[in-house]
Amino acid sequence: ITGSRSKVGKALVKALGTDHGIRTMDLADGDPPAPTFVGDGRDRAMAAAAIAGCDAVIHIPPIVPPDAPPEEIVDAGTRSTYNLVTTAPAGCRILLISNLGNFERYPVEYPVQENWAPRPTSEVWDLTTYLVQITVRELARVRPVKAIVLRLGEVVDDGDVKELPVDPRWLHVEDAVQAVERALVYRHDTGQFAMPYAVFHIVGAGKRTRFPLS
């Protein structure tokens, strides 16, 4: 699990650690325990060592300090993703944790679905999100891996939503974890996604969500 100190990363380590052997990659900052691998996947040798023998990689990019300049954000997202996918063992499942920010430019009444084209702005986080997804998509076509992109809503926990009005973009972290657990066992050889690449939008339930749950 890369980005293991993020909100989703911490929840995944806790949820999956009981039944699975887990390695983590992140910056050394924060409370212990330290990540198994300190740094990010831009170090190709470290990326290869981190995922050697792994059945699945849960990638939460980019791994950068809070004050990282724009060029580092783009570089950390794209280059670490490239290194992880191209050094992954044959048959490895690549699970990219992304977001729905690239679809915000669509009018709220549009029923945006997974096959709609992203509409990123020129803002660095939008561009990084978009380029990372393109990297995974293109590499999945030529590498012996199976990739799933989960575009999550705005992930929150109970503390985030306390005494605040409900935001239609919210996705509870426990629902995000459940989506990851299902993606880890999803079969690519069935249904409409009979190919090594699939995308799913993971949003909150109900009629008031920013994006529909299809």
Side-chain angles (χ1 to χ4, degrees), residues 61-72:
I63 303 174
V64 291
D67 58 348
E71 61 272 18
E72 183 176 357

Side-chain angles (χ1 to χ4, degrees), residues 126-213:
D126 275 359
L127 285 177
T128 301
T129 297
Y130 178 70
L131 292 172
V132 167
Q133 290 184 34
I134 294 298
T135 300
V136 171
R137 185 190 72 188
E138 295 306 306
L139 289 174
R141 292 174 173 174
V142 297
R143 301 292 300 179
V145 298
K146 297 180 179 180
I148 292 180
V149 178
L150 296 183
R151 295 173 178 153
L152 307 182
E154 183 181 342
V155 179
V156 295
D157 57 25
D158 292 343
D160 294 323
V161 304
K162 190 175 182 180
E163 298 180 359
L164 291 175
V166 176
D167 189 310
R169 296 170 179 80
W170 280 349
L171 173 71
H172 198 280
V173 66
E174 292 180 3
D175 293 324
V177 169
Q178 184 185 71
V180 171
E181 291 175 333
R182 293 189 178 193
L184 287 172
V185 296
Y186 176 77
R187 291 187 59 184
H188 285 255
D189 58 346
T190 60
Q192 67 182 100
F193 293 114
M195 57 186 296
Y197 176 80
V199 179
F200 296 99
H201 289 180
I202 310 300
V203 300
K207 297 180 179 180
R208 297 186 62 227
T209 58
R210 170 65 177 90
F211 300 101
L213 179 63

Side-chain angles (χ1 to χ4, degrees), residues 3 26-27 29 39-40 42 60-77 125 128:
D26 212 323
L27 303 179
D29 300 329
D40 63 59
R42 284 179 289 181
I60 311 175
I63 303 174
V64 291
D67 58 348
E71 61 272 18
E72 183 176 357
I73 295 172
V74 175
D75 184 54
W125 288 99
T128 301

